[in-house]
């Protein structure tokens, strides 16, 4: 007896026309469905008589990945819209504005960002985003601090944890990131040329221990409200603007999982440069830019997070206990490095890949990129519990690059 | 528009008479309210024509402690009854049977345990409970393992976490155990004779760091469904039987908090023996019994927990990653020791004390017990992150006892 039904373009226009305060009564509305149809319908609705446009995103009651289809809760539309609104209030301007959420239709109406590009594509094109480290570190610091026990009333936070309970989407992460790549799983997907690398993952006991520990934290540590899927495909960008989208995996987990996701996707692009730059010099310059961005993100995140803590910390003992902040930030860095490594590994041998590498036309460049990404990913996972500086991550990347060339 | 109203003895009998399958139609029911009136009404209802009896526990919409009164959610009655039923299914015979839960009246009808005594009183009397370590280690292993991500479907577990969201009662713990004793808080309560000890707690920076870390885990780590208040006043006992009662503080937290609570209360009794035993020899024998029980509880818990893991572990990577189980159990021991220390300290300088010590008539024996309990508690808190064997806890207790005598 649910009123849910998937929309088509005509119905989407009808709904758009009835939204208050969005379009003029005389608007000439045109609609195009621009989603990939795997998880959601995405309608782009424009008033051709003005420049006004919106996005309407409707969750589908199933997920399709690589031919497979399975049922998936519509509740993720609620989680996504609530996460967007909360993130928007904490990090204004860094997520799309939400105009409406309709629970019956699992529908979110939001700001159109067509003037932005997907960051992954921007990086593949070799574009630089000098404001990105500033923007994303603000997004991370604001959303993570103010949803944690450090920055929010601790009883309110528990109710938020309850509201962002997200078992189905968490399970996707638990399987695809923290299990399947480390065994000969049917869901895995990799080219035969790197079967040796996949097998090495399945047999690396040191790695398994670290991944088990990181998996445990993902399962149990309700530290802050995460975006939950913060790769460069979830970021709309221009050189001036950054917008984080698609938080349907949002739940309360370890902060380092979000920060690590951003760093991992910069490093996946780093590994893929062989195929994207016209010259070696250009490649080295872009790689240096990526690594500088990695360092900047962590450093600026840390500064902003500590400044928020200093000014808005609500936990008396956490505010005052000598050594606690240092201890906290070190563990956060360790988690960030560990999760960055996991996020890299899964994109090479797991179900879902990244275009940065998959779109490399040259098979040998592609294989080289895959091997380098795995080498970096594994070394970050193994480094995680020993790390106490972001420089160690950079050193590990350089070491992996040098070893890959040798 | 709620149907809730506090019962009286007449109404309680009326409800009892209408319960299906409990009393015979011709039962002669007598009722006595036996609660302390601070948080709950507790009705003891007996059929004087048979030996049949039950307990009806009704939550009151407020809490009273030491003269103060504040509103408190009735939802705790739901949490308590659901926790009892879940624990009863996981650890049969180790909690009272629940016959009925009425959400409107916040009322739980359960097994009468009048033939048992409160364990705290039993220990004060010097009674030995040779089966207790076996019983409580089974209770802990079964309830903690099977509500954790190691022993339960991980998506189901997330729904349980949501259902056992318990902000109001968690706040009591967060304040009274993990904050107030470490500052000059109005809620603190201690005798003037040990003001030096209280002040030392407020200024001990090493201690503050450890307590802040343990507090953080209490706030964020949804490891398993805890009883949440597992002191010896929450245990009904005979030499043959152990029943864990009153899980209204139940929520998903760090396992070590429950295990530590049990050990702490044995050690508080250890510290209080000066006043309870007739001779020094008797005292030393009872203290040895208490310490043996502490060791037995941990050792048996560990064996049982690992056996459950071996047989019923659902997390592939946690089951197979070499070194993970050892790492897990070591962290669990460390948490146990740290929380045991916190639980001891709060009972000496915090709001709520224990009868083992408060009921000592001789002021000097009482002071001695308080100082010894604090010495043990502090040393356990400082030991926690370095511990890798339960023997270290025992050594710390002996060292504190020796230092207290010096």
């Amino acid at each position: 007896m649910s009123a849910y039904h998937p929309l088509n373009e005509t119905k989407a226009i009808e709904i758009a026309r009835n939204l208050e305060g969005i379009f003029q009564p005389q608007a000439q509305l045109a609609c195009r469905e621009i989603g990939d149809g795997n998880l959601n319908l995405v309608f782009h609705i424009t008033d051709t008589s003005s420049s006004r446009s919106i996005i309407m995103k409707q969750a589908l009651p199933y997920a399709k990945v690589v031919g497979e289809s399975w049922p998936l809760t519509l509740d993720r539309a609620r989680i996504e819209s609530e996460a967007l609104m909360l993130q928007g209030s904490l990090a204004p301007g860094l997520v799309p504005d939400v105009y409406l959420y309709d629970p019956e239709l699992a529908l979110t109406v939001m700001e159109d960002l067509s003037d932005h590009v997907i960051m992954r594509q921007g990086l593949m094109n070799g574009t630089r985003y000098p404001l990105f480290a500033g923007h994303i570190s603000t997004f991370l610091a604001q959303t993570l601090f103010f949803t944690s026990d450090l920055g929010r009333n601790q009883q309110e936070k528990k109710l938020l944890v309850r509201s962002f309970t997200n078992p189905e989407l968490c399970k996707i992460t638990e399987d695809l990131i923290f299990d399947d790549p480390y065994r000969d799983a049917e869901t895995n997907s990799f080219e035969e040329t790197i079967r040796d690398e996949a097998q090495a993952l399945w047999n690396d006991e040191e790695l398994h221990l670290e991944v088990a520990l990181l998996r445990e934290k993902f399962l149990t540590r309700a530290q802050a409200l995460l975006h939950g899927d913060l790769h460069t495909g979830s970021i709309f960008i221009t050189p001036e603007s950054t917008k984080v989208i698609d938080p349907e995996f949002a739940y309360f987990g370890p902060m380092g999982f979000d920060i690590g996701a951003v760093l991992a996707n910069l490093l996946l692009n780093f590994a893929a440069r062989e195929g994207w730059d016209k010259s070696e010099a250009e490649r080295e310059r872009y790689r240096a830019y990526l690594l500088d961005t990695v360092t900047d993100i962590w450093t600026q995140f840390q500064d902003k997070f500590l400044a928020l803590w200093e000014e808005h910390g609500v936990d008396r003992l956490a505010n005052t206990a000598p050594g606690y902040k240092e201890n906290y930030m070190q563990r956060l860095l360790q988690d960030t490095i560990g999760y960055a490594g996991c996020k890299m590994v899964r994109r090479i041998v797991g179900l879902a890949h990244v275009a940065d590498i998959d779109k490399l036309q040259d098979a040998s460049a592609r294989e080289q990129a895959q091997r380098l990404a795995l080498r970096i990913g594994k070394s970050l996972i193994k480094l995680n519990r020993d790390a106490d500086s972001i420089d160690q991550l950079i050193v590990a990347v350089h070491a992996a690059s040098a070893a890959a060339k040798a």
Side-chain angles (χ1 to χ4, degrees), chain A:
Chain A
M1 256 286 301
S2 153
Y4 177 84
H5 56 277
L7 300 179
N8 56 31
E9 295 178 348
T10 314
K11 283 185 191 156
I13 287 182
E14 214 175 288
I15 290 171
R17 197 172 292 285
N18 290 317
L19 290 171
E20 261 180 66
I22 304 282
F23 294 112
Q24 302 290 326
Q26 68 277 19
Q28 301 285 321
L29 298 188
C31 179
R32 210 158 45 93
E33 206 284 309
I34 57 172
D36 59 8
N38 286 337
L39 290 160
N40 304 290
L41 296 171
V42 181
F43 299 97
H44 182 239
I45 300 177
T46 317
D47 176 6
T48 54
S49 71
S50 75
S51 61
R52 193 93 176 104
S53 62
I54 59 169
I55 289 290
M56 287 176 51
K57 179 172 175 179
Q58 183 182 36
L60 290 166
Y62 52 78
K64 275 193 212 156
V65 178
V66 201
E68 280 193 87
S69 174
W70 65 88
L72 198 60
T73 174
L74 292 174
D75 189 47
R76 70 188 195 279
R78 177 190 63 80
I79 286 180
E80 174 169 350
S81 66
E82 289 182 2
L84 277 177
M85 288 185 274
L86 183 51
Q87 291 161 349
S89 71
L90 296 174
L94 295 172
V95 298
D97 281 341
V98 173
Y99 304 133
L100 178 91
Y101 166 63
D102 180 328
E104 288 204 332
L105 290 174
L107 182 75
T108 306
V109 184
M110 64 185 124
E111 187 181 2
D112 177 27
L113 300 168
S114 304
D115 56 333
H116 291 58
V117 299
I118 290 291
M119 185 174 184
R120 188 179 304 289
Q121 189 58 54
L123 295 180
M124 284 156 63
N125 297 346
T127 313
R128 293 176 186 227
Y129 299 102
L131 303 184
F132 174 68
H135 289 158
I136 203 72
S137 58
T138 294
F139 175 84
L140 290 165
Q142 293 281 135
T143 61
L144 298 177
F145 179 80
F146 283 115
T147 59
S148 79
D149 288 295
L150 300 174
R152 179 170 294 262
N153 175 288
Q154 298 175 342
Q155 276 46 60
E156 276 175 39
K157 180 238 176 185
K158 290 176 179 70
L159 300 181
L160 277 184
V161 172
R162 178 168 68 182
S163 175
F164 284 98
T165 302
N166 199 353
E168 285 189 42
L169 280 88
C170 282
K171 177 157 175 62
I172 296 175
T173 303
E174 290 155 21
D175 289 347
L176 297 188
I177 300 186
F178 296 114
D179 189 359
D180 297 350
Y182 305 96
R183 65 188 181 101
D184 185 4
E186 275 191 29
T187 53
N188 286 338
S189 162
F190 53 85
E191 299 189 56
E192 269 311 309
T193 48
I194 61 158
R195 176 164 287 274
D196 61 315
E197 295 274 13
Q199 283 172 333
L201 290 173
W202 305 338
N203 296 315
D204 188 335
E205 299 192 336
E206 185 192 347
L207 201 66
H208 292 185
L209 174 58
E210 297 304 327
V211 174
L213 291 167
L214 290 160
R215 176 182 167 89
E216 178 192 323
K217 287 185 211 175
F218 185 87
L219 286 164
T220 59
R221 192 159 308 172
Q223 200 174 25
L225 179 64
L226 305 188
H227 177 283
D229 193 26
L230 195 43
H231 57 81
T232 44
S234 294
I235 298 171
F236 264 131
I237 200 160
T238 71
E240 294 78 33
S241 168
T242 303
K243 303 276 185 183
V244 176
I245 63 169
D246 288 354
E248 58 199 355
F249 284 78
Y251 88 110
F252 274 76
M255 297 179 182
F257 187 75
D258 265 7
I259 314 170
V262 177
L263 305 192
N265 280 272
L266 296 174
L267 295 174
L268 284 163
N269 188 272
F270 175 100
R273 286 326 297 179
E274 215 78 39
W276 295 106
D277 294 300
K278 291 190 197 97
S279 69
E280 202 181 317
E282 209 172 294
R283 178 168 75 238
E284 290 315 309
R285 280 196 299 273
Y286 201 78
R287 282 185 162 167
Y289 157 70
L290 290 170
L291 293 190
D292 287 348
T293 305
V294 164
T295 303
D296 286 350
I297 291 170
W298 172 259
T299 308
Q300 292 189 38
F301 166 79
Q302 176 162 262
D303 290 349
K304 290 169 186 176
F305 192 90
L306 285 169
L308 291 174
W309 196 340
E310 191 65 32
E311 191 169 357
H312 302 287
V314 299
D315 189 296
R316 190 195 67 82
L317 207 51
N319 292 345
T320 60
Y324 181 71
K325 284 181 185 172
E326 293 75 7
N327 181 301
Y328 194 98
M329 296 313 290
Q330 182 178 356
R331 285 182 287 130
L332 188 41
L333 174 69
Q334 292 174 346
D335 288 356
T336 296
I337 291 174
Y339 287 124
C342 294
K343 290 267 190 174
M344 294 185 74
V345 168
R346 66 82 60 118
R347 293 292 191 181
I348 307 302
V349 301
L351 180 64
H353 288 207
V354 290
D356 318 50
I357 292 176
D358 271 19
K359 289 245 167 104
L360 292 175
Q361 294 302 315
D362 180 72
S364 140
R366 209 165 56 239
E367 181 183 338
Q368 219 176 321
Q370 289 164 345
R371 289 185 186 273
L372 176 55
L374 283 176
R375 201 183 275 271
I376 296 171
K378 287 192 291 184
S379 75
L380 297 187
I381 295 172
K382 291 183 183 180
L383 166 64
N384 86 93
R385 286 192 291 159
D386 296 324
D388 61 8
S389 151
I390 191 67
D391 298 342
Q392 288 170 279
L393 178 150
I394 302 298
V395 168
V397 174
H398 284 307
S401 303
K405 277 184 202 153

